[in-house]
Amino acid sequence: MRPSLYIHIPFCIRKCEYCDFYSGVATEQDIDAYLDALEREFELRFSDRIAPATVFIGGGTPTRLSAKQLARLGELLHARVDLSDCREFTCEINPGTLTPDKADALVAMGVDRASFGVQSFKTKYLGGLGRAYEAGTATAAVEMARSAGIRRISMDLIFALPGQTLQELREDIDQALSHGTEHLSFYALTYEDDTPLTRQLLNGELQPCPEELEREMFTLVGDTCAAADLQRYEVSNFARPGAECRHNLVYWTLGDWHGLGSGAHGMIGGEITAVAADYKVYTRMIGEGTLPFSRREKLADISRAETLLLMGLRLTRGVELARFEQWAGASFATLCGEKASALERQGLIEISPTHVRATPDGLMVLDSLILELASSLETTV
Amino acid sequence: MQDFPLSHIRNFCIIAHIDHGKSTLADRLMSMSHAVDKRKVVEQTMDSMDLERERGITIKAKAIALPMTINGEEYLFNLIDTPGHVDFGYEVSRAMNACEGALLLVDATQGIQAQTVANMYLAIGADLEVIPVANKVDMVAADFERTCYELESAFGTEPDTVVQVSAKTGLGVEDLVQAIVERIPPPVGDFDAPLRALIFDAVYDDYRGVVIYVRVREGRLKAGDRIFMIGTRSEYEVLEVGVVRMGMLKQPELNTGAVGYIICGIKTVQDVGVGDTLTLAKHKDTVEALPGYKRPQPMVYAGVYPTNAAEFDALRKGLQKITLSDSSITYVPEQSDALGSGFRCGFLGLLHMEIFQERVERELGLDLVQSAPNVTYEIVKSDDTRVRISKAGDLPDPTQYKEILEPMVKLSVITPTEFIGNVMSLSLERRGLFMNQEHLGKDRVLLSFKMPLAEVIFDYFDKLKSGTRGYATMDYEPTGFEPADLVKVRIMIAGEEVDALAMIVHRQFAEARGRNLLKKLKEEIPKHLFVVNLQAAIGGKIIASEKIGSMGKNVLAKCYGGDISRKRKLLEKQKKGKKRMKMIGGVEVPQGAFLSVLKVENT
């Protein structure tokens, strides 16, 4: 399959309390220079136009760019990228930053799927998360994108917020579903190192969601979405059948994709690339004609197989055993059989002739489960 | 040094509680000896180990010869130093057997303490003439009347026999010297009888090998003599004899009544039995040994492990070195599931164990992990043979033995009267049997109990201190083994027995202590993908259990293309961490879990 394309826009209006992504509050000149550099990166990396299977523009906040800057981004993409055969073109949208002009610019760019970072429909939680908009803003933004012609709508929401009740979560889910979205991402709040939120946690300024409640919420989200015909297809992602995010499926099946822009990661044929995360360094080095890779790592086949487990078990359909075997050089049963059988007996995984997958209980403790399998892989290889 | 007639020799020791001024008094007496260069009496000569000085205790008894001019006549005082704690009770009693008298030194600002009492009993047992001495009488806080009253209450001492001194200023020390001459009897014995000398101590010297301290009871001893140690059945040639003053002073001969040292090329103190009798090789079949010799038996055992497993060899060499100078420590290699390779060490008591640990860390620079101590038990097998075991794991199935005995002690506690209730209830809770109560003046009391040593070493001292706001002092002396209803509590993790965690406890405490251990374990073992059962059992019967619930939720909410590198790095780290875990019954147990369960509780 043709590699996909990820483009990173590392700018935000402000930094969210839970975010550990590299993003900065930049001037308009910074952004213009960044777009120049992005165009140059395409030239430096690809001699010809590329024809990605899917495109995803993420951030930061891509819609932090002005309508004009978005139009500029669209132009440079059209110059370097053949979108005629692109099956999905997603752009992340911060509801508070969308305007009709920007929505038009996105459509002109080729965006056919919008992923809204709603996080919560409740103002009291938005403030705590540092999201710079009011609760009603999300609804308005979704309508704005729709009327501009973006058909496919996804929303990101966060649950297990400090103090959040099951009832409040239920209301958030209902509200998200009421927009007729085909896709939802529901993330349990994660306390990343070196974020203001985590500092509050460590200082005892906030009470984290109790584990038992978080489990209930995880189940509630799955059940409620399923009742509205949005099936869990990944740990945190729900979609109508056929409306799964194709781009993200590339990641979870360890397909190929190019990552451009500062901080972007890519993987082609098992080689991981990462571009320098500091956009100033990125812009300067590109200006000097140098590709600012901060990392290029070719995964050994066995590591690639392990990484496939790491990513692929997040999908409810699981990991394709044939794909695993192709990289691992031996069957899953040979390499992880004993441990896998134990986990299967515990009801945490299921093994079919073609796939290994985590059960709903298994998904909830997936990281430990992956560690078990990866450790047994290590001892047998 | 000139020969002194027996009538002008006085052999005595000083009995005192820590900090009651024993070393200061010894210094004061030395400074009065005309043979000692006063400028050199800066250091407290008697305590030669740094550690002893720091802790204010003396581990190894030594002797110092002090020529004195008293009433215009020349006397020789042999001051024999004794360890201050009855952990070393046997050694104390041997040192006392080298004396005719003892100074019972009591700090008049503090009154008598439990340790004073225990040592006093030993002195009485050794038939010594005891001179009670109230020290620090120059201080404002001193209460001489009260001290006399306490001495009278505790030992029936006549108040007018108590000598008042200030070892620090020298006040009253002249009177004390007079009292020593007048009240302590001179040694008796026959110069011409076959040699019988009591070995009352042996210390290791880096340059000279083992220096043996002796008290000549009868006959005489000189360099070149072939000697025979009756207890250990070994023969040596004496290379040197002498007395200790500011250093070792070689002498032509040690005569009846003398206290001094001999060197005969022995490499380790293990080869010398304290309490043994020396005679000349030619008399070995005819001379009868002096009474009371025995090899001290360890009372308390603990597993000792290097914190860093690579230091096992260094620890082994260190133990060899330490036992050169302390023959009462025993050690055998031990392999623990939980702690790796180490040694099971035997000690005379708790204090001895603490001193050992500090010596290892200080002299060898090793960091140690030490398991909670346990006592030694005696098993009577079905064929009536007796064996001693030093750890719970060695206790056979109850069908394999008839009876199990545990070491008992006589415990003396001195406490302000307001805490009598606390001390009583604590002691009775710990299976103590109340024996006696003696009032020491109006506000302090001496309580005696018979108690299993196991209970004393468990946490009695900490509890005693907290129950008496730190005022109580305690001491104990072993009184032998007695049968008890003891059981082995087995600990199981996910059904697999963990030998290192087994313990022997009285049946009445089995459940509580088993539960307590499981609780600690539960805190230390992380959640697994499955429920982990922790159980304590006596034989096949479960007496306590805990469950570690399975992991509730552990999954990254977000994991996209950009997260792969980070997630892989994390996975590598987790895999390494997993390898460091100890697998028991399919459960990953962190090393730290064993430590927190096995280590000696911080006080």
Side-chain angles (χ1 to χ4, degrees), chain B residues 2-3 25 41 116 124 129 140 146 150 178 181 207 211 281 290 344 366 371 429 458 467:
Chain B
Q2 71 181 92
D3 258 352
L25 180 60
V41 187
T116 324
I124 294 167
E129 177 64 40
V140 180
R146 187 180 117 153
E150 288 188 359
Q178 286 294 340
V181 170
Y207 301 100
V211 178
L290 297 162
R344 187 119 204 117
L366 294 175
S371 71
E429 257 166 42
F458 184 63

Side-chain angles (χ1 to χ4, degrees), chain A residues 20 187-188 211 214-215 236-237 248 251-252 257 272 295 299 303 306-307 310-311 314 346 363-368 371-372 375 378, chain B residues 527 529-530 550-572 574-576 578-579 588:
Chain A
D20 69 336
Y187 302 111
E211 190 181 71
E214 191 178 328
R215 276 177 69 99
S236 306
N237 284 278
N248 286 342
Y251 299 147
W252 294 317
W257 76 94
I272 297 175
R295 181 187 186 90
L299 292 181
S303 301
E306 182 186 72
T307 309
L310 176 70
M311 298 302 280
R314 297 183 64 86
Q346 288 168 243
L363 274 189
M364 242 180 273
V365 291
L366 188 65
D367 292 359
S368 301
L371 175 60
E372 292 293 317
S375 301
E378 185 163 87
Chain B
K527 287 187 170 182
L529 285 171
F530 45 89
S550 64
M551 185 179 291
K553 192 164 182 294
N554 180 29
V555 56
L556 274 185
K558 284 189 183 189
C559 192
Y560 294 101
D563 302 310
I564 292 179
S565 296
R566 183 163 70 152
K567 181 69 187 139
R568 281 187 50 79
K569 216 185 266 177
L570 183 65
L571 185 65
E572 289 309 314
Q574 289 169 333
K575 283 197 282 188
K576 283 208 184 82
K578 207 170 147 70
K579 278 190 209 152
E588 291 164 12

Side-chain angles (χ1 to χ4, degrees), chain A residues 134-316:
Chain A
E134 294 289 306
T137 313
T139 308
V142 168
E143 287 319 307
M144 208 183 285
R146 279 233 169 85
S147 46
I150 299 175
R151 286 182 310 105
R152 300 179 62 192
I153 302 291
S154 175
M155 293 184 194
D156 289 2
L157 284 106
I158 301 180
F159 70 96
L161 296 160
Q164 191 183 26
T165 63
L166 275 177
Q167 183 52 33
E168 285 172 333
L169 174 61
R170 216 171 271 129
E171 287 165 16
D172 257 4
I173 306 170
D174 288 344
Q175 199 156 357
L177 291 168
S178 73
H179 287 87
T181 53
E182 59 169 28
H183 189 281
L184 288 174
S185 301
F186 256 100
Y187 302 111
L189 180 62
T190 306
Y191 295 90
E192 303 285 356
D193 289 349
D194 293 327
T195 60
L197 198 68
T198 301
R199 280 192 284 279
Q200 288 180 44
L201 178 74
L202 296 175
N203 292 340
E205 292 162 25
L206 55 84
Q207 279 295 316
C209 176
E211 190 181 71
E212 193 44 45
L213 181 57
E214 191 178 328
R215 276 177 69 99
E216 280 180 53
M217 288 181 166
F218 187 84
T219 306
L220 176 69
V221 169
D223 293 350
T224 315
C225 287
D229 200 27
L230 267 69
Q231 302 298 331
R232 187 191 300 270
Y233 72 100
E234 191 261 3
V235 173
S236 306
N237 284 278
F238 307 83
R240 295 232 165 82
E244 296 86 0
C245 178
R246 292 194 178 100
H247 184 87
N248 286 342
L249 282 169
V250 171
Y251 299 147
W252 294 317
T253 54
L254 233 58
D256 290 346
W257 76 94
H258 298 292
L260 278 83
S262 74
H265 288 238
M267 177 166 334
I268 301 288
E271 184 185 40
I272 297 175
T273 58
V275 180
D278 184 331
Y279 67 82
K280 287 185 175 147
V281 171
Y282 168 82
T283 304
R284 180 167 50 73
M285 286 184 68
I286 294 269
E288 291 163 1
T290 312
L291 280 173
F293 285 126
S294 59
R295 181 187 186 90
R296 296 191 79 133
E297 180 194 6
K298 173 87 181 159
L299 292 181
D301 280 350
I302 191 66
S303 301
R304 209 170 165 189
E306 182 186 72
T307 309
L308 178 64
L309 290 179
L310 176 70
M311 298 302 280
L313 283 172
R314 297 183 64 86
L315 294 171
T316 53

